[in-house]
Amino acid sequence: MDQTVSQLLNEQINKEFYSAYLYLDMANFYAARGLDGFANWFEVQAHEEQDHAMLFYRYLQNNSETVTLEAIAKPDKVFETLADPLSAALEHEKYVTSLINAIYAAAQEARDFRTTQFLDWFIKEQGEEEKNASDLITKMALFGSEAKGLYMLNSELAARVYAAPSLVL
């Protein structure tokens, strides 16, 4: 495997675990305000990010590459309004999309077709992640300023359940 591609994949492990930390921080923000549905939504999101990190980890191992685990940074976002974590989540997902795209471009340049095929799933996943984050912002704008609407949205988010990814390495 091209060393640049390997390094970027290694770095992505850390970025995915950071994403999990960030989403747990957002879940904590909502839990402290009694919005258990919002907290649940972000806890499920954190679990997905951990799985993404493990997919990169296993991919590197399955390709006889050395995995280097670095320290995971503490989330530093400060949230004041109920909408702040939602906007930060969309911003973060766009950032992750840019990281995946950069790895894909490096793999293409190195003619590493196995890695580009592996990343195809993540490209699709990031489209879904951005749409989900955007949809949540839209719902909050429509219903979140009114108590009954916020209650219903919180109830909807409480119903989200975790589903493991079905990516074959």
Side-chain angles (χ1 to χ4, degrees):
M1 180 181 292
D2 178 82
Q3 287 309 296
T4 299
V5 173
S6 180
Q7 179 182 343
L8 290 170
L9 290 168
N10 257 295
E11 290 170 3
Q12 193 62 31
I13 295 169
N14 183 273
K15 302 292 186 185
E16 297 292 340
F17 278 127
Y18 172 79
S19 296
Y21 269 37
L22 179 63
Y23 290 139
L24 284 176
D25 194 43
M26 292 174 182
N28 191 46
F29 172 84
Y30 286 116
R33 285 150 185 80
L35 293 168
D36 59 332
F38 282 83
N40 175 67
W41 196 92
F42 280 105
E43 287 169 8
V44 169
Q45 196 67 22
H47 200 7
E48 285 186 5
E49 302 303 339
Q50 291 171 338
D51 282 349
H52 295 169
M54 291 306 297
L55 288 169
F56 284 104
Y57 173 84
R58 292 267 183 254
Y59 181 76
L60 284 167
Q61 284 189 332
N62 290 346
N63 285 278
S64 302
E65 290 295 315
T66 302
V67 173
T68 305
L69 300 175
E70 300 291 342
I72 301 167
K74 177 181 176 183
D76 61 355
K77 297 279 186 191
V78 176
F79 309 119
E80 295 179 15
T81 71
L82 295 180
D84 286 348
L86 306 179
S87 298
L90 178 57
E91 174 187 322
H92 185 71
E93 288 302 337
K94 288 179 178 181
Y95 169 66
V96 172
T97 297
S98 75
L99 296 171
I100 300 294
N101 289 344
I103 301 169
Y104 195 95
Q108 274 188 323
E109 184 177 320
R111 299 184 57 79
D112 181 349
F113 303 115
R114 185 181 317 153
T115 299
T116 58
Q117 186 176 34
F118 167 71
L119 292 171
D120 283 342
W121 183 87
F122 287 96
I123 301 273
K124 181 180 178 219
E125 175 72 5
Q126 281 310 118
E128 292 173 9
E129 298 284 14
E130 286 185 29
K131 182 175 182 344
N132 290 341
S134 181
D135 288 351
L136 198 48
I137 291 169
T138 299
K139 288 178 181 182
M140 186 64 148
L142 289 171
F143 311 115
S145 62
E146 188 260 318
K148 289 180 186 176
L150 183 61
Y151 176 81
M152 294 299 291
L153 182 54
N154 188 60
S155 296
E156 176 186 323
L157 298 178
R160 183 180 188 200
V161 294
Y162 169 74
S166 58
L167 177 64
V168 179
L169 301 178

